[in-house]
Every structure is written in structure tokens, then in C-alpha cells.
Amino acid sequence: MAVGSMNVEEGTKAFPAKLTFQVFLCCVIAAVGGLMFGYDIGISGGVTSMDTFLLDFFPHVYEKKHRVHENNYCKFDDQLLQLFTSSLYLAGIFASFIASYVSRAFGRKPTIISASIFFLVGAILNLSAQNLGMLIGGRILLGFGIGFGNQTVPLFISEIAPAKYRGGLNVMFQFLITIGILAASYVNYLTSTLKNGWRYSLGGAAVPALILLIGSFFIHETPASLIERGKDEKGKQVLRKIRGVEDIELEFNEIKYATEVSTKVKSPFKELFTNRENRPPLVCGTLLQFFQQFTGINVVMFYAPVLFQTMGSGNNASLISTVVTNGVNAVATIISLVMVDLAGRKCLLVEGAIQMTATQMTIGGILLAHLKLVGPITGHAVPLIVLVLICIYVSGFAWSWGPLGWLVPSEIYPLEVRNAGYFCAVAMNMVCTFIIGQFFLSALCRFRSYLFFFFGVMNIAMGLFVVYYLPETKGVPVEEMAEKRWKTHSRWKKYFKD
Ligand code: BGC
């Protein structure tokens, strides 16, 4: 599986490398960070629709939910309940900022280990929560775990993977996010009828954290991070091991050159915002995450059980529907694992945007016609049709904006601003997830089915953005991105001196 020295199609050189077991193992273990993230995304919606949880912590929401003539779209509108879901993301923003420094100064591996410890302690606190303070405190620690993990894992994978397989290996992060979401929705389904079921659901977060904690002692630090911190010999040694070839000089020299530029930069954030050459990846990387969230995906991920209940399904039926949607999410991500390094990033992103636009608009239209302010939904088949449409929508996200929202920002920055630039993408993800988590239920209450049209329009905008502004990054070594892609892109080349 050795790779030649020149990739003619892309016009870029590929360094000698095999897809070794070492690299594969490192990527799988690091991607368990995605499992933690996904578990949390999947668990919150189900827990907040459990009666026992509402009775223990949000009795007023419980009462409202059971008032017979309550407005269909406003059953769950409660700021405090939404804060339970979204507090984690506020903590996550702060944490990923810290992690961007920790990861540059101490390496990717210790940052990943810290992520698992935060998450583990947060899970234990939630499991034993006696009051709202403990519950929110636990979520803040989980937010630290996710902030540290999401800041580091995709970068780690992009740095350790050979260019040719970088896309597929990176999508593993998203794949494990989807497995986490799926596992969580199944756990919710199992625990929803148990007394204190929510405790098992929330405490289950300790499992992915433990797997990551143990696993991360077996991963290698990335060569780029070692060389950046002056450990050249160790860097070479790791390169040889993970590439499975003796001839690593070419790649070593390229990383060495990048780190020399990098170490001259004392303040990466200042460099990121003031050097015009960083503008193209900054705009693209950050906007990709903005758009990822405004696909509306977390409306489904957080609130699918609530949405299905809004459409009149019982507790159980709505949890089962959620397991189905999440299963589709995981399976569809596998398509991306394979396609991302074959079809490329842009093709998947545009196709995904079209698919999501069509389904969001249709769901909006159906709800507009069949779910009035009060009274049951009209038309027996409607909940099933909406479920099918949601599955089509979710699969569109799963093979495009889901994985690529993480992959692309991790591969487009030069080393000196990579952590800082990637932080902007992670922070954008967290801010937008917070906004959706915090305000979606209120927005649903106010704008009702029109909300789906809003997301539909956002999907059109993001498709156009990709067509006109995003370069294709498939197969280009990370350290050559500026030369080969930004400097040659018709809309971005003006940001570079000759
Ligand atoms: C997104 C999450 C989303 C998940 C769904 C991730 O890439 O960042 O916000 O819930 O995909 O699979």
C-alpha cells in the first residue's frame, strides 16, 4: 500500500506511507472522544422528556406537559430545562479555548487524557445528583471534557493520518459521535420506565470516558506536536512507526519547516486574526461549523423525542422513533467514511445541503397543514411520514456536514495557527449548539412549523457557499494546503502576497 511520490491528479506530492495498524489504532482510540460527545447529545433529549426526571428537577414542566389543552408547540418551552441541555456548550467554549493552549504547549495526547478525566468526573456527579446545582455542575464538567476532546481529537487524527486516508480516518470521529448518540437513545429507551432511570442514563456517560482514558495511554503523540516542541528524534521515531516505512525524511523535513515557522509565532491568535493569509481558512473553517449547526441537526438530535411527542406519539413510541433516526445517522456516516477520500469534500457537502433543504421544507409544509395550535395531529400516517422524512434528512447530514464540519477545519490551517484556528471552528460549533439547544423549544413555540422553512433556507445558503468559496482539500497534505489550495483559489488568492 505504499504511496508514490507524486499525486498527479491533485498536483501534490504524497509522502511515502502505509496505512499501518498503529495509525488505525491511534485514530480509533482518539475518535472515542466522539463517543463521549455523541453520548451526551443523545442522552439529553430523552432524559428531559422522562417524567421521573421532570418530577425530580422540573416539576412545573411536568405539570405543563400533562395539561390537556396546552398549545401543541409550547409543551416543553422552559428556559431552565433548556439550560440543562445547553449549559454544557457554554463550558465547552471556554474549555476548548484553554485546550488550544494546552495542546500546543503539552501535546495532543495529554489534552485527550484530560478530556476523558473531566468527562468521567462529570458523569459521576450527574449520576449522584441530588439537586439542580449538582446536575448543572456535572454538565459543566462534561462540557470541559467535550471542549478538550473536540478541540484535540480531529486535529490529532489529521496530523497522524497519511494524507491519502486522512478524510476516512477523520470521519471515524463523527462515526463514533453517531454511535454515541445511538447508544444513548437506546439506553434512554431501556431506562425510561425504571425508577430513577435518568440516573443510569446520565451515569452511562462514564463508559465512553473510561474507554478513552484507558485507550489514550496506548496512542502516540503526533509527530507535528513532538517536533513543534523540539523533540525531533522522538518525532522521527514515531513517524517511522506510524508510516510503516524507513524513508520519512521528506515528511519530517516538511513538518520541521512548518514548525520553524510555527515557533516564531508567539501569539497564535494575534497571528490568526491579523495575518491576511489566514483569512481564507478562518472564514471557511468557522463558517462550516456555523452552517453545520444551522442545518438544524440538533433540533432532531436533542429534541426528537419531544418533537415526536408534540406530534402525539406516546413516550415509548417517541423514544423508539428516536432510536430509528439515530440508527440511520450511524449507518449513513459509513458512506462518508468511504466516499470522502474518493468523491471529495465539496461533492458530499453540496449533495447533503440539497437533500436537507428538500426534507426540511417538506416537513415544514406537512406540519403546517396537519399540526394546528391545539388538538391532535390530523392524518394517521403523518407521524410516520415525518419520521421517514427525518431519516432522509439525517442521512443527508450524516454523510456530509456532520463529518466534514470537523474534518475540513482540521486540515486547512498552517501549523502555527492550527490550534487557534481550529478553536474558532469548535467555538462556533459550541456557540451555535448552545443557541439551538437554548432557544429551539421557545422558537418552536413561537414560530411553529415555519421554523423548518428557516432551516431549509439556511441549507440553500450553505450549499452555495461551498460551491463558490470552499476549495477541494481531498488528498492534499495538510502542510501544503496554503500553496496548493488557498493561493490558487480564484476567490482567495488575493489574500496572498505574490
Ligand atoms: C455535530 C453535532 C450533531 C451530531 C449529529 C456532529 O457533527 O457537531 O452537533 O449533534 O453531529 O450526528
Side-chain angles (χ1 to χ4, degrees):
M1 223 183 288
V3 177
S5 59
M6 192 78 173
N7 179 343
V8 181
E9 183 203 344
E10 302 293 339
T12 63
K13 59 177 180 293
F15 305 117
K18 294 177 185 168
L19 179 55
T20 58
F21 178 69
Q22 296 275 347
V23 160
F24 186 72
L25 190 72
C26 284
C27 293
V28 172
I29 292 175
V32 174
L35 196 62
M36 299 192 316
F37 183 37
Y39 187 86
D40 186 81
I41 294 170
I43 215 74
S44 329
V47 166
T48 50
S49 71
M50 282 179 196
D51 285 350
T52 51
F53 176 78
L54 290 176
L55 269 171
D56 283 349
F57 295 102
F58 302 91
H60 57 289
V61 181
Y62 175 80
E63 257 174 46
K64 196 163 155 192
K65 179 179 158 189
H66 289 269
R67 257 182 252 142
V68 186
H69 295 300
E70 187 66 58
N71 177 335
N72 269 327
Y73 291 94
C74 300
K75 282 184 185 175
F76 293 87
D77 172 22
D78 181 80
Q79 289 295 321
L80 206 59
L81 179 64
Q82 296 181 66
L83 189 62
F84 166 76
T85 303
S86 52
S87 53
L88 178 149
Y89 294 91
L90 283 185
I93 299 166
F94 180 60
S96 44
F97 179 70
I98 301 176
S100 72
Y101 280 100
V102 175
S103 150
R104 192 172 194 234
F106 302 101
R108 321 300 188 219
K109 185 171 164 169
T111 320
I112 294 177
I113 294 178
S114 317
S116 62
I117 296 174
F118 281 128
F119 207 77
L120 186 60
V121 180
I124 295 171
L125 204 63
N126 270 350
L127 171 77
S128 51
Q130 299 300 326
N131 50 47
L132 202 56
M134 281 177 87
L135 203 64
I136 304 270
R139 282 196 73 71
I140 291 176
L141 281 173
L142 295 179
F144 263 75
I146 287 179
F148 269 59
N150 287 12
Q151 170 67 30
T152 319
V153 168
L155 276 184
F156 172 91
I157 298 178
S158 279
E159 287 181 347
I160 213 152
K164 195 175 170 202
Y165 307 102
R166 187 178 65 235
L169 289 171
N170 207 301
V171 172
M172 219 129 58
F173 174 67
Q174 174 72 15
F175 181 59
L176 284 182
I177 294 180
T178 63
I179 296 293
I181 298 176
L182 178 63
S185 57
Y186 189 62
V187 169
N188 272 341
Y189 170 66
L190 294 179
T191 63
S192 62
T193 48
L194 302 180
K195 187 169 178 284
N196 283 336
W198 60 267
R199 281 193 196 279
Y200 306 112
S201 287
L202 295 181
V207 175
L210 266 177
I211 301 177
L212 183 62
L213 180 59
I214 296 166
S216 52
F217 287 100
F218 295 95
I219 62 180
H220 293 291
E221 184 52 272
T222 70
S225 172
L226 286 166
I227 300 166
E228 190 178 23
R229 288 176 294 123
K231 301 182 179 176
D232 287 15
E233 269 322 302
K234 181 87 185 137
K236 276 189 182 169
Q237 217 181 325
V238 172
L239 257 183
R240 261 186 218 109
K241 224 181 241 168
I242 61 174
R243 295 288 174 255
V245 293
E246 277 305 307
D247 175 18
I248 44 89
E249 282 308 314
L250 213 59
E251 185 169 2
F252 174 81
N253 289 339
E254 183 116 335
I255 299 177
K256 185 72 192 162
Y257 173 71
T259 56
E260 274 162 12
V261 179
S262 164
T263 40
K264 284 198 197 108
V265 172
K266 293 292 167 247
S267 167
F269 278 98
K270 189 166 163 220
E271 171 71 11
L272 177 67
F273 293 117
T274 54
N275 185 344
R276 273 171 60 80
E277 296 193 357
N278 292 322
R279 207 67 51 79
L282 180 62
V283 171
C284 288
T286 316
L287 270 184
L288 271 185
Q289 272 295 351
F290 170 81
F291 284 137
Q292 190 209 54
Q293 286 307 307
F294 279 90
T295 55
I297 187 66
N298 281 324
V299 167
V300 176
M301 292 301 136
F302 293 157
Y303 299 120
V306 170
L307 267 182
F308 290 124
Q309 284 192 22
T310 297
M311 289 191 302
S313 310
N315 230 344
N316 237 2
S318 76
L319 285 175
I320 293 177
S321 310
T322 309
V323 174
V324 172
T325 340
N326 293 338
V328 169
N329 190 17
V331 173
T333 307
I334 298 173
I335 301 200
S336 192
L337 272 171
V338 182
M339 292 305 290
V340 70
D341 290 316
L342 293 175
R345 295 26 171 176
K346 286 185 74 158
C347 161
L348 291 179
L349 286 168
V350 173
E351 193 283 333
I354 296 172
Q355 191 167 327
M356 288 188 287
T357 306
T359 39
Q360 291 273 24
M361 297 285 192
T362 319
I363 294 173
I366 290 180
L367 290 186
L368 194 62
H370 292 278
L371 187 63
K372 304 292 176 214
L373 267 188
V374 287
I377 196 157
T378 57
H380 269 331
V382 171
L384 184 64
I385 295 173
V386 174
L387 175 63
V388 172
L389 283 168
I390 288 184
C391 288
I392 300 176
Y393 161 80
V394 166
S395 62
F397 175 87
W399 58 57
S400 63
W401 289 82
L404 298 180
W406 298 104
L407 165 64
V408 176
S410 76
E411 60 183 13
I412 54 178
Y413 285 102
L415 185 61
E416 64 274 19
V417 292
R418 192 169 298 153
N419 271 300
Y422 196 68
F423 161 75
C424 296
V426 178
M428 184 56 92
N429 174 278
M430 304 263 171
V431 170
C432 296
T433 312
F434 170 77
I435 294 174
I436 303 247
Q438 189 64 28
F439 300 112
F440 171 70
L441 290 180
S442 314
L444 180 68
C445 175
R446 179 166 302 195
F447 301 110
R448 306 195 293 275
S449 41
Y450 295 104
L451 207 54
F452 293 92
F453 296 118
F454 164 75
F455 287 122
V457 171
M458 289 302 290
N459 279 290
I460 296 177
M462 62 188 74
L464 292 174
F465 173 79
V466 169
V467 171
Y468 291 110
Y469 289 96
L470 194 72
E472 178 56 66
T473 51
K474 174 187 103 176
V476 184
V478 180
E479 308 309 345
E480 293 184 8
M481 210 53 84
E483 268 324 301
K484 303 289 188 231
R485 287 297 177 262
W486 300 115
K487 286 187 186 174
T488 55
H489 192 278
S490 60
R491 288 192 161 71
W492 296 119
K493 60 183 174 207
K494 60 175 183 265
Y495 287 89
F496 294 85
K497 293 180 219 100
D498 287 339

